[in-house]
Amino acid sequence: MSFSLATTRFDPRTFICLTLLYALTIILSSSFSITLALFLFALGLALLFQIPFCETMKKLALIDGFMLLALFSLPLTYVGGEAVSIWGLPFYLDGFWLAVSIALKANGIFLCFSALMGRMGVAEFAHALAHMKVPLSFVQILLLMVRYLDVLTLEFERLRTAMKCRGFRARSNWHSWQSLGYLCGMLFVRSLERAEQILIAMKCRGFQGTYPLLHHFHFSLRDIKFAFLFIIGLVVFICSGTYFPELFMKEGFPL
């Protein structure tokens, strides 16, 4: 192609549907070789769309931090299959490969999401959901939540600063827990007051309960071509993991 996929504009509904298709495919995969093939497919998408490497690695590190719990617990708790003794504890190989499969699925979904939807803004994402006939109440809640999350964060920081100016230091005692409870209560009260002010301001600007959709998305030939190539690539990688597992597996790996 003579253009870069990282800068070409597509219909966002195309990326949302393809991301859901990939997520469902890799989640429903019960074969380790197919899961590994689909992970490599997502890695190829990430390279194709030129997602930021350092930022992506930091986010993947947070995800894999939770996956480490599965890697350590499943081999010891998953009963079945061959087991080896490590420090006197039974270490089940099937449980280990199950944990690795879960980690590959989580990383693959994140890479696919980052590649296809990483550059999509929240407003654009909500706009696309509205065009996909998602309930408007859900779309409005999503927009308001993202828009005013920073407002609540600033309000929380103001309350924390006020507590610190009064000499509060968090400790493991009754006074600290009681003060933190008051902090949460005041945050709810301030949030309610701010929400009422925002609602009044929106009504003064003509808000009638819905956001008008001024711009409408349209599928183009570019979207159809990309969706077709995406599905073909997905099928090819699934078939590779199914019929040619030796391309992805080493001897002793579960198929």
Side-chain angles (χ1 to χ4, degrees):
M1 292 185 181
S2 60
F3 53 87
S4 174
L5 287 175
T7 57
T8 304
R9 300 296 298 175
F10 291 91
D11 191 323
R13 293 174 295 178
T14 303
F15 284 172
I16 293 175
C17 293
L18 293 179
T19 302
L20 289 176
L21 175 63
Y22 174 84
L24 289 175
T25 303
I26 195 171
I27 288 174
L28 296 177
S29 171
S30 58
S31 170
F32 187 89
S33 58
I34 294 178
T35 301
L36 181 58
L38 291 175
F39 171 76
L40 295 176
F41 177 76
L43 184 61
L45 282 178
L47 296 176
L48 185 65
F49 279 84
Q50 304 172 3
I51 63 176
F53 178 78
C54 294
E55 183 180 352
T56 303
M57 288 300 103
K58 290 179 181 178
K59 294 178 180 179
L60 277 177
L62 294 176
I63 296 176
D64 292 335
F66 291 99
M67 294 296 105
L68 287 177
L69 180 62
L71 287 173
F72 283 113
S73 62
L74 277 178
L76 302 176
T77 57
Y78 184 89
V79 180
E82 183 182 356
V84 295
S85 179
I86 298 180
W87 295 324
L89 297 175
F91 188 87
Y92 294 94
L93 296 180
D94 287 349
F96 174 76
W97 295 122
L98 177 61
V100 174
S101 177
I102 294 174
L104 288 176
K105 290 180 180 181
N107 284 267
I109 292 174
F110 177 79
L111 288 175
C112 181
F113 181 89
S114 299
L116 298 183
M117 301 176 59
R119 292 179 174 85
M120 188 183 303
V122 177
E124 186 179 8
F125 175 68
H127 194 177
L129 291 180
H131 277 89
M132 295 172 68
K133 305 303 179 181
V134 175
L136 291 179
S137 58
F138 175 81
V139 176
Q140 292 174 14
I141 290 174
L142 174 64
L143 283 173
L144 292 174
M145 179 187 69
V146 175
R147 170 62 181 82
Y148 293 105
L149 188 61
D150 289 338
V151 176
L152 296 180
T153 302
L154 292 175
E155 194 67 36
F156 174 78
E157 293 297 332
R158 287 178 57 190
L159 294 173
R160 283 283 295 164
T161 302
M163 293 176 65
K164 290 180 180 179
C165 292
R166 290 171 173 81
F168 173 77
R169 295 294 181 271
R171 296 182 177 87
S172 182
N173 52 40
W174 175 252
H175 174 72
S176 296
W177 290 112
Q178 188 179 34
S179 300
L180 292 175
Y182 289 151
L183 171 63
C184 295
M186 284 303 301
L187 183 61
F188 279 114
V189 173
R190 295 287 184 88
S191 301
L192 180 60
E193 294 177 350
R194 183 62 66 89
E196 291 176 349
Q197 295 174 2
I198 292 171
L199 179 59
I200 293 173
M202 292 173 66
K203 287 183 177 180
C204 291
R205 290 167 174 80
F207 180 71
Q208 297 179 350
T210 57
Y211 291 103
L213 300 178
L214 302 179
H215 173 68
H216 297 278
F217 297 117
H218 298 283
F219 287 108
S220 63
L221 184 60
R222 181 189 298 116
D223 297 293
I224 297 175
K225 289 180 179 179
F226 179 79
F228 178 77
L229 292 176
F230 183 94
I231 295 174
I232 291 297
L234 201 62
V235 172
V236 168
F237 272 79
I238 292 175
C239 293
S240 299
T242 303
Y243 297 106
F244 304 101
E246 63 273 8
L247 295 177
F248 306 100
M249 314 296 293
K250 294 181 180 179
E251 184 178 357
F253 279 42
L255 302 181

